[in-house]
Amino acid sequence: MVLVHTATFRQARQLVPLLIPVAAVVGLDDGVGTIVLLAAAVTALSLAAAALSWWRFGYADGPTAVVVTRGLLARSVRTVPNDRIRGVEVETPPLHRLLGLVRVRIDAAAGSVGADEEELLVDGVPRAEGDRLRARLLAHRPATAPPPGDDGQPEPPEEEELTRSDPRWLLYAPLVGSYLVVPLAAVGTLFRFLDELPDAVIPAVPGPDVSDPRVLVAALVAAVPLLALAAVVGAAVVNWRFRLLRRGGSLVAVRGLLTRRHTELEVDRIRGGTLSEGLGMRWVGAARVNALVTGLGQASRRGQLLPLGPRTTAVALLDRLVEDPGPLTAHPPAALRRRLVRSLASGVLVTALGVAVAAALGWWWAPVPGVVLTVLGVPAGTGRYRALGHRAGPRSFSVRSGWLVREQAVLQRRAVVGWKVRQSPFQRRAGLATVVACVGAGSGGYAAVDMAAADVAAFTAAASSGTWARGLRSWTDRPGRRPAAGPRAARRGPLP
């Protein structure tokens, strides 16, 4: 564990910003000797910090709780009951794999304040111990224990493969914004690193003339395929040989090329799922699926059940996760008008400014960007409207919104812990309202934007269960409580 922390320079991320000012105060030069001296100092300090961290770290998985202790001067003892554990993830980075070690992350809803405090981390344990710890923590309830076999030992749970990735699905990666951001950030970090190196280390290489338009065009033409290739490589590194299994009462997702991740989630804690489709993904019929799990930290990564794949595969997987409530209901035409007004307003404003600039300075081309923006506002507003929809079924309900990234959330009715209804003055005039289903999973709330105000009470009652449904139905029966729909809130039908 000490070697792992030192070789990965985990402590160096905090030591380097402190040592650079010290070197400047001492008066060290900016030559190669200074760099070697700083590297040696960082390595030694990182080794010492890792050794102290390992010496003062301990964990114990008891019959009712997990206890993790750490810290040298300020000791921290954290106890998490087993029934508060939401999921377990076993990671195997390259150096861990070389040394036969794993890293175990335990998601626990234990009343933590920050996002980093929502998990327990047991780093640098043998692979067999990591597997034992994972199986032990996820089998804490007697109801989930497998029946004993003929030899008296528990039989291993049956496995069912729900989906596995196809290498051809990696070609969707250049159309996903998250995979494009990574290579751009890497290039930016590289240039920043080169800019901070001493001049004596960097060789004098003449660069291209960036003022030449031909050089800029050639750079852009070369950057597009390189960026697409980097996105594909990044997606392969993260999601290589992705598999989703159902093992007993758990869903198991395995992925990763360099860092192999093994994420296990309890099925009983899953309250629904989301189907996400970016603008580029919709052009080629691709989508992603995430599970909505109560109390799961970093749900956008650990709740991924299909990181990238065809939309048909994603829809079939979401249907197995939670019952499909049926085709979505379109929102009234007033919602379309609101989106067109919002989309055209910026273009009209830029056009007006361009006309003023053209009249004052004689730049005839000044209004052109505003006109282009106004013309593009029509399909943008129409696309945002077509993404809207909602539906309440016998056991689940669904809401959908978004244009650049269209997300449809399908939730079980028991997931609802409250409802929030918002109405701006413009929405009240148009007979519209935004209804937010408050849930204890995922982002915490999922909205049906600009639905007809007359349908709010019926939708919330149909999408609730138990006392929620009875209370909402009694609320709708009270005189004067039913939201009044505007004159333009009619004419609704199912979405195509």
Side-chain angles (χ1 to χ4, degrees), residues 218-229:
L220 291 176
V221 171
V224 171
L226 290 178
L227 187 61
L229 178 61

Side-chain angles (χ1 to χ4, degrees), residues 223-281:
V224 171
L226 290 178
L227 187 61
L229 178 61
V232 172
V233 173
V237 170
V238 175
N239 300 314
W240 183 253
R241 294 176 60 190
F242 174 85
R243 295 178 66 206
L244 180 65
L245 309 172
R246 175 156 187 166
R247 182 182 299 159
S250 301
L251 290 182
V252 183
V254 184
R255 78 190 74 179
L257 179 61
L258 300 179
T259 299
R260 197 69 177 163
R261 288 188 173 90
H262 183 290
T263 307
E264 194 158 345
L265 306 172
E266 286 190 75
V267 175
D268 290 343
R269 299 192 184 276
I270 296 177
R271 297 294 181 263
T274 59
L275 182 74
S276 300
E277 304 167 270
L279 182 60
M281 298 168 68

